[in-house]
Amino acid sequence: MAIESLDLKKNEGVKEKDNSFSEFQEILKEAVDILNYPPQVFEFLKKPMRFLEVSIPIRMDNGQTEIFQGYRAQHNDAAGPTKGGIRFHPDVTPEDVKALAGWMSLKCGITDLPYGGAKGGIVCDPRKMSLDELERLSRGYVRAVSQIVGPTKDIPAPDMYTNSQIMAWMLDEYDHIREFDSPGFITGKPIALGGSKGRETATSKGVLYTLQMVCELKRIPLTDMRVIIQGFGNVGSYLAQYLYDLGAKVIGIGDALGGLYDENGLDIPYLLENRDSFGIITNRPTNRITNQELLEKECDILIPAAISGVINKQNGSRLNCNIVIEAANGPTTKEALKILDEREILVVPDILANSGGVIVSYFEWCQNNQGYYWTEETVDTRLKEKNNRQL
Ligand code: GLU
């Protein structure tokens, strides 16, 4: 299948109708009530403190101009500048971005980082765009939001379908506007431009450390675990490699087109060798199953590492696992959480399980502020320390 014909909307899973923002508000309300905080706390935190919607005109390679919609939500800056990624995806909505910014506040809080939460997004399908078009879009977005972002205001980072190259274009554009070098404006950038060693693998390592802690708590050796990972992008692919290297059985993998399953364990090094630049591994094998089927296969640990809402009221009662570790942001809907709770399936929430990315983003920002760069070993040791302190 040609990469151009991929339809991101149809294949990645079985995302339900998007209730992400109202779900964020409902869960926040429950938490604020349990903590006995005054009602104003909820009233203030239920919406982002600032939300910007921008139209970005981009000249496409065919000479036509297209207008892209972009968003940036800054949830709350009481703890410090706001922080959070920018995603490129056809499904991005203002509601999604607002909810994700709120979750970032909680993620930064739980990991004790001096940040509030933010999130950005552009409605686009990066797989259908050339590199030149992506560069123009990345730069256009920064021009559009430049007044509200900055190293002491709001610090972006990668998220779904954005990477260090996109961060490099964004940083370059920001430096041109501000007329001085400010590497601390954005994290997840290439090492040559002030990025941190270990940032690329940080989220997957954080998920791995969390998984190891869960195994310790449950007193089950990791090598006895059969794991399914839905998602083979930045997080899923490194995680699969680490688990394979440690001797755990990865019996299922999913990507944007579907899934692969083998109860005897998949050959992860072979799949990593043979994926394309979008992390697609299921475009060749004939034994491909759907993402829906993959999520319902029997395993010990299910790790959704792709889009939100894939575990929902439709499939919650059919999951066949003991533990869910949320590597993606918001993969389990509120209704599904209730079903899984009744079925005594342990769910390790995203704000805890996938915080490795923002933890090392924070380390990157500290290094930029100091102009003093750490070894990969130092980054790893500090990541593990911070990650495991939450559990
Ligand atoms: N996009 C990542 C997340 O959702 C990382 C954010 C960051 O590094 O600021 O946690």
Side-chain angles (χ1 to χ4, degrees), residues 291-298 314-315 318-320:
N291 260 299
Q292 177 63 49
E293 288 165 333
L294 181 76
L295 290 166
E296 294 174 17
K297 286 276 185 197
E298 199 202 329
Q314 265 84 41
N315 61 7
R318 294 200 298 266
L319 294 197
N320 235 322

Side-chain angles (χ1 to χ4, degrees), residues 86 158-169 188-190 200:
I86 300 170
D159 198 82
M160 255 163 75
Y161 297 116
T162 50
N163 57 18
S164 58
Q165 173 63 75
I166 290 175
M167 300 305 110
W169 289 323
K189 54 196 173 284
E200 172 96 1

Side-chain angles (χ1 to χ4, degrees), residues 83-85 104 107 119 155 157-159 187 199 329 354 357-358 361:
K83 181 92 191 78
M104 279 307 297
K107 197 186 293 185
K119 190 70 95 181
I155 306 138
D159 198 82
T187 59
R199 175 61 184 86
N329 284 318
N354 75 16
V358 73
S361 272

Side-chain angles (χ1 to χ4, degrees), residues 5 35 53 112 131 158 168 179 298 303 320 338 385:
S5 65
L35 290 165
E53 178 164 358
D112 201 18
L131 274 182
E179 295 182 346
E298 199 202 329
I303 306 184
N320 235 322
K338 201 164 161 272
E385 203 178 271

Side-chain angles (χ1 to χ4, degrees), residues 15 18-22 24-25 46-48 50-54 69-74 87 89-102 118-123:
K15 193 181 171 187
D18 186 12
N19 297 323
S20 52
F21 191 42
S22 56
F24 165 73
Q25 293 181 325
K46 73 178 185 189
K47 288 185 193 162
R50 188 175 293 123
F51 180 74
L52 184 63
E53 178 164 358
V54 293
Q69 291 310 115
Y71 313 106
R72 186 76 184 165
Q74 298 172 343
R87 57 177 54 187
H89 197 279
D91 275 350
V92 171
T93 65
E95 305 299 281
D96 242 347
V97 173
K98 287 178 193 174
L100 288 161
K119 190 70 95 181
I122 304 181
V123 185

Side-chain angles (χ1 to χ4, degrees), residues 48-62:
M49 63 170 199
R50 188 175 293 123
F51 180 74
L52 184 63
E53 178 164 358
V54 293
S55 293
I56 314 162
I58 297 298
R59 188 174 39 77
M60 307 304 279
D61 291 346
N62 63 7

